[in-house]
Amino acid sequence: YLALGPGARRVHVAAALRARAQVSMSRFEPDSFVNYEKMSKNIGIVRKRLGRPLTLSEKIVYGHLDDPAGQEIERGRTYLRLRPDRVAMQDATAQMAMLQFISSGLPRVAVPSTIHCDHLIEAQTGADKDLQRAKDVNKEVYNFLATAGAKYGVGFWKPGSGIIHQIILENYAYPGVLLIGTDSHTPNGGGLGAICIGVGGADAVDVMADIPWELKCPNVIGVKLTGSLSGWTSPKDVILKVAGILTVKGGTGAIVEYHGPGVDSISCTGEGATSSLSSFTCDPPPPPSPGMATICNMGAEIGATTSVFPYNHRMRTYLEKTGRREISAVADSFHQDLVPDEGCEYDQVVEINLSELKPHINGPFTPDWAHPVSEIGATAKKNDWPLEVKVGLIGSCTNSSYEDMGRAASLAKQALDKGLRCKSEFTVTPGSEQIRATIERDGYAQILRDVGGVVLANACGPCIGQWDRKDVKKGEKNTIVTSYNRNFTGRNDANPATHAFVTSPEVVTAMAIAGTLDFNPETDFLTAANGEKFRLQPPTGDELPSRDFDPGQDTYQHPPPQGASVDVSPSSNRLQLLEPFDRWSGTDLEELRVLIKVKGKCTTDHISAAGPWLKFRGHLDNISNNMLIGAVNTENDGVNSVKNQLTGQYGGVPEVARHYKAEGVGWVVVGDENYGEGSSREHAALEPRHLGGRAIIVKSFARIHETNLKKQGMLPLTFADPQDYDKVGPEDTVSIQGLESFSPGKPLTAVLKHADGSLDSISLNHTFNQPQIEWFKAGSALNRMKELQ
């Protein structure tokens, strides 16, 4: 028997589905439809052209090609022109995205689009007060986003709705959809068999403006899962292990595609998902798991374009539980397009035996430093990391599902039954209003409060630095343990001495109860209030609520047929209309100054800090005052301290950049490997452009940041010989030559003029294609869009 009955009945149902009215993409957009027919047709065209089996990610990506018959397709080389199905924006990035869309002059978005208010709510005391404070402090910004959404046809999720990625999973992601989102953790939707890709706001504007969206044809990394999860090992441990194997840049330029029989331990019991109907046999059918979304979400930490799982019974059940039975039914009839072809080939394969996988904890300061939980205590002692866990934090877009909360609550209940509460401070972030309302109804929230937890607002909170932390002073060495995705220096609390570790919600909860990093819940004992020694039993929890979800408060604003006006006050310090960037002069760039030569890791947090700076995300000039203030200068190992080569005085990076700009002097930044890893924030590209930057020259780039720089008319260039990084001195001038014949695949030349008058000539590579070169010449992609209207 198949999921919907005997085979004959299934064929009948599939035929009926094809014949009846189209299925809406979401209940909020009844007139926008799932279009598996077009995707399937495109897949057929491409498969015939390539003459080989296709991976799942290839099917979905190539199924959305603008020109499947003519598009040149070569993994890792050609640029694809794609037609995404929809766009999603979080409030911090939506400000600049909507300001850019306003600048385009277009009357309304061309594809279904949404704005989600989740980034601007600071964690201080608890959900209700924090949410109300955010509404008061950010009233101007929320009003701008709501009215801009209404005017241009964009759905608006009000503050308190939840984290963008959980809202997408509950309402908008479905197998086979191509969604782009202005947040690096958009790949969360891959847990529902979707291709969801994080981008900058300018990319979102392209899609909303009905312009084909460009993506370099991804390589495909296959992660073959065998065995099954059990005990304390969770889906989070899969991605923690993968991050340890591939590192923070190992997935760059690739989609990570999970496959193999082990997928069933994160999906349904039975045989692995394949292209045959037998993959949907499941007796009895188990509930779905958010674990696949957790794994895909944190794929951003290895630099992957996105991650995806094949469509299976568990996804179907999740769709049904979240009110999308019609989508699951039509997905069943197109299931062959939603799983990989038998015999497809991957560019790289990683194998993980889930039966042998142990609980992991990654960090500090980087999400790819992987340790088994059983070894972290000894490693911490060896490295002089603080053992006391000051705060345990669960939630975030990575681990804030009903299942996550239930498993944490099961451990909290065990502790309470033994008369214990958390020794560490403990915070809980529900992923959405639906999750919050349901865990309140089912008692999980109260159990977590009883054990010592503080339930925060349905928002990003401490995960992105929105945390008014009071328990330690800045500079005080301490340890926190989170179920988040990133742990870069200072990310959570702006304290560079905080040692942040990333693990599963279950391990966070256990360590918060024990109060120490060297607690291994698999083997170590706790002491009950009566002196009895006991061990925590492995966590348990329903993956979906038996009484279905409680939707909670209605927090969605439909865009009206006729939008309202959008006002931006010229005196606002939160919002600022954009002025077009200047066009390329038509000549080579001569004698640019080196603003800063960056030492070591330089993430988007270093380039454009979050935390308190989030309030300026809609005001380019104000937020530019944080440009590169976290980057380490090779000249003096200082932070936000560079020499002004015109005055000989040291100053902050933004101040020196502003002085160069005022004097008509262009400048460059020189950086190391994987420059711009982390968030999708395009402000890290907008700010250098606004303050007079012309080029960023590094050993290698993170994907999103490189694209964002191109979009804003900057030159992201890489050393042909990485050792040439050492030739650049802080007092050098840099002339970039070859721009008059700038063309795809042709390197540029940099002439370095040193302080002693000597010269070095080095080769610089780039990844520009011809349309992207036109962005550079026009001054930005937005300028080019206007030229073509």
Side-chain angles (χ1 to χ4, degrees):
Y1 285 89
L2 301 169
L4 297 181
R9 171 172 166 74
R10 181 51 161 292
V11 171
H12 171 77
V13 170
L17 282 167
R18 292 173 190 269
R20 73 180 191 182
Q22 291 177 290
V23 173
S24 297
M25 291 171 67
S26 85
R27 62 189 176 93
F28 301 107
E29 296 137 2
D31 298 324
S32 296
F33 304 108
V34 174
N35 197 347
Y36 283 138
E37 289 87 353
K38 181 178 179 181
M39 188 177 91
S40 187
K41 180 180 177 182
N42 287 357
I43 291 170
I45 293 170
V46 173
R47 184 188 284 112
K48 185 175 180 180
R49 285 182 55 202
L50 298 182
R52 60 172 175 80
L54 301 178
T55 68
L56 167 60
S57 49
E58 287 184 304
K59 288 183 179 182
I60 301 174
V61 172
Y62 303 162
H64 287 81
L65 285 169
D66 183 54
D67 178 16
Q71 170 72 60
E72 186 181 3
I73 300 170
E74 183 180 338
R75 287 185 194 171
R77 190 183 71 82
T78 59
Y79 280 86
L80 307 178
R81 291 166 60 83
L82 302 169
R83 292 286 184 177
D85 297 300
R86 64 179 309 118
V87 171
M89 299 167 280
Q90 40 95 334
D91 50 354
T93 50
Q95 295 171 63
M96 194 56 66
M98 293 310 297
L99 286 165
Q100 290 177 91
F101 189 81
I102 290 170
S103 296
S104 75
L106 296 169
R108 205 164 176 87
V109 297
V111 301
S113 304
T114 51
I115 294 169
H116 305 259
C117 294
D118 63 358
H119 269 57
L120 301 179
I121 302 169
E122 185 179 50
Q124 289 188 352
T125 59
D128 294 340
K129 290 183 179 179
D130 292 349
L131 178 57
Q132 187 55 54
R133 186 186 313 105
K135 289 179 178 178
D136 294 339
V137 171
N138 303 305
K139 182 177 180 181
E140 179 186 15
V141 170
Y142 291 148
N143 180 65
F144 166 72
L145 293 174
T147 55
K151 181 176 179 62
Y152 296 105
V154 179
F156 179 71
W157 288 85
K158 301 172 186 177
S161 301
I163 305 172
I164 176 173
H165 310 303
Q166 184 66 28
I167 297 292
I168 289 171
L169 202 68
E170 293 171 356
N171 298 280
Y172 298 116
Y174 60 84
V177 71
L178 177 59
L179 179 153
I180 68 166
T182 60
D183 189 279
S184 57
H185 291 101
T186 301
N188 192 76
L192 259 182
I195 291 293
C196 299
I197 301 176
V199 299
D203 279 358
V205 171
D206 279 355
V207 179
M208 293 190 292
D210 202 27
I211 295 172
W213 173 61
E214 284 197 342
L215 176 72
K216 194 169 189 179
C217 189
N219 290 316
V220 188
I221 297 174
V223 177
K224 183 178 180 179
L225 303 178
T226 60
S228 60
L229 294 171
S230 62
W232 281 89
T233 307
S234 74
K236 183 69 164 277
D237 296 306
V238 176
I239 187 58
L240 294 175
K241 179 70 173 179
V242 169
I245 294 169
L246 294 178
T247 78
V248 290
K249 63 177 183 176
T252 302
I255 293 177
V256 177
E257 184 172 312
Y258 292 86
H259 66 284
V263 167
D264 291 334
S265 80
I266 316 171
S267 58
C268 67
T269 55
E271 295 183 4
T274 67
S275 59
S276 69
L277 282 171
S278 64
S279 67
F280 291 85
T281 302
C282 219
D283 187 19
S289 170
M292 291 182 282
T294 292
I295 293 167
C296 292
N297 175 293
M298 203 175 154
E301 270 51 71
I302 58 173
T305 301
T306 192
S307 302
V308 68
F309 276 84
Y311 179 53
N312 56 32
H313 192 143
R314 187 157 284 185
M315 294 180 191
R316 179 194 303 118
T317 308
Y318 184 83
L319 288 167
E320 292 171 356
K321 279 280 191 177
T322 50
R324 294 174 285 174
R325 184 177 297 274
E326 293 82 3
I327 293 180
S328 69
V330 73
D332 285 348
S333 66
F334 284 92
H335 77 278
Q336 71 277 3
D337 295 326
L338 305 174
V339 294
D341 285 341
E342 186 174 353
C344 68
E345 294 187 359
Y346 299 99
D347 296 286
Q348 178 183 354
V349 176
V350 174
E351 294 196 27
I352 296 178
N353 185 338
L354 300 178
S355 299
E356 298 174 356
L357 183 64
K358 303 299 288 182
H360 272 62
I361 183 168
N362 288 20
F365 308 125
T366 184
D368 60 344
W369 195 355
H371 321 273
V373 170
S374 60
E375 299 175 10
I376 190 63
T379 304
K381 292 169 187 174
K382 179 181 176 181
N383 288 283
D384 193 30
W385 299 334
L387 288 178
E388 179 189 4
V389 175
K390 287 285 189 180
V391 191
L393 306 99
I394 65 170
S396 87
C397 61
T398 318
N399 279 111
S400 56
S401 67
Y402 182 82
E403 179 193 23
D404 290 326
M405 297 296 152
R407 286 169 67 86
S410 76
L411 298 173
K413 182 67 164 58
Q414 292 182 52
L416 290 168
D417 288 345
K418 298 292 185 178
L420 298 185
R421 299 176 86 246
C422 289
K423 290 184 178 179
S424 308
E425 291 189 21
F426 187 48
T427 70
V428 180
T429 306
S432 68
E433 169 60 11
Q434 178 170 273
I435 297 297
R436 183 209 62 79
T438 307
I439 66 172
E440 288 286 1
R441 181 198 67 192
D442 293 351
Y444 291 169
Q446 191 56 50
I447 291 171
L448 294 170
R449 288 191 193 97
D450 290 343
V451 84
V454 175
V455 178
L456 301 174
N458 314 321
C460 301
C463 182
I464 59 159
Q466 285 285 48
W467 184 16
D468 185 20
R469 189 178 180 192
K470 302 292 189 184
D471 64 301
V472 296
K473 296 178 181 178
K474 191 167 184 178
E476 181 180 341
K477 193 173 176 181
N478 74 101
T479 286
I480 65 172
V481 181
T482 83
S483 69
Y484 303 163
N485 40 49
R486 290 197 176 129
N487 55 353
F488 302 143
T489 302
R491 177 175 174 86
N492 303 127
D493 62 1
N495 180 4
T498 293
H499 292 55
F501 294 86
V502 176
T503 186
S504 67
E506 300 94 303
V507 172
V508 172
T509 305
M511 287 185 172
I513 292 168
T516 182
L517 190 64
D518 60 352
F519 178 71
N520 179 4
E522 288 191 300
T523 59
D524 294 347
F525 288 83
L526 295 169
T527 303
N530 64 2
E532 171 194 352
K533 299 287 186 181
F534 75 100
R535 270 206 304 241
L536 292 170
Q537 296 304 303
T540 59
D542 293 335
E543 299 179 37
L544 286 176
S546 59
R547 292 188 285 163
D548 291 334
F549 285 108
D550 181 337
Q553 300 178 41
D554 183 5
T555 55
Y556 178 73
Q557 171 187 291
H558 288 269
Q562 297 296 323
S565 61
V566 181
D567 294 319
V568 176
S569 170
S571 61
S572 173
N573 72 345
R574 297 288 302 270
L575 298 165
Q576 180 187 50
L577 293 175
L578 298 174
E579 295 290 334
F581 291 131
D582 59 301
R583 292 180 53 84
W584 173 54
S585 65
T587 61
D588 289 340
L589 301 175
E590 299 291 345
E591 296 195 344
L592 305 172
R593 290 290 181 176
V594 176
L595 177 64
I596 181 173
K597 183 179 177 182
V598 178
K599 180 180 181 179
K601 183 186 281 284
C602 191
T603 72
T604 48
D605 282 343
H606 294 88
I607 305 167
S608 177
W613 291 95
L614 284 171
K615 61 179 175 286
F616 297 126
R617 285 284 181 87
H619 197 293
L620 180 54
D621 194 56
N622 281 348
I623 199 170
S624 293
N625 289 324
N626 78 357
M627 186 190 72
L628 285 159
I629 62 174
V632 177
N633 182 7
T634 55
E635 183 186 13
N636 55 10
D637 283 336
V639 174
N640 199 26
S641 175
V642 295
K643 187 176 182 179
N644 185 326
Q645 300 299 332
L646 302 184
T647 68
Q649 302 297 310
Y650 280 83
V653 183
E655 289 78 17
V656 174
R658 286 184 188 277
H659 186 252
Y660 289 164
K661 180 181 179 182
E663 296 298 321
V665 175
W667 50 263
V668 303
V669 170
V670 177
D672 212 312
E673 296 279 4
N674 207 31
Y675 184 91
E677 72 172 276
S679 168
S680 70
R681 68 191 67 155
E682 66 183 331
H683 297 77
L686 281 159
E687 293 172 32
R689 183 72 165 100
H690 175 64
L691 295 186
R694 293 299 176 185
I696 310 293
I697 306 171
V698 301
K699 294 180 182 178
S700 64
F701 283 102
R703 175 190 64 85
I704 299 176
H705 186 60
E706 182 182 27
T707 301
N708 286 346
L709 288 166
K710 292 178 182 178
K711 286 277 186 177
Q712 303 308 332
M714 293 284 286
L715 288 171
L717 306 171
T718 56
F719 295 105
D721 180 355
Q723 293 185 4
D724 285 344
Y725 168 89
D726 298 323
K727 294 180 179 179
V728 184
E731 297 185 358
D732 291 355
T733 63
V734 181
S735 297
I736 299 176
Q737 301 177 347
L739 290 173
E740 293 180 36
S741 58
F742 193 12
S743 58
K746 183 179 179 181
L748 298 172
T749 298
V751 176
L752 310 177
K753 184 177 181 180
H754 304 301
D756 61 3
S758 62
L759 302 177
D760 266 314
S761 182
I762 62 176
S763 181
L764 300 176
N765 294 331
H766 65 84
T767 61
F768 281 82
N769 60 21
Q770 193 57 47
Q772 292 169 347
I773 290 173
E774 297 305 319
W775 300 345
F776 168 74
K777 291 180 177 179
S780 71
L782 190 58
N783 289 357
R784 181 61 176 161
M785 182 193 300
K786 291 180 179 178
E787 289 179 354
L788 296 174
Q789 285 180 13

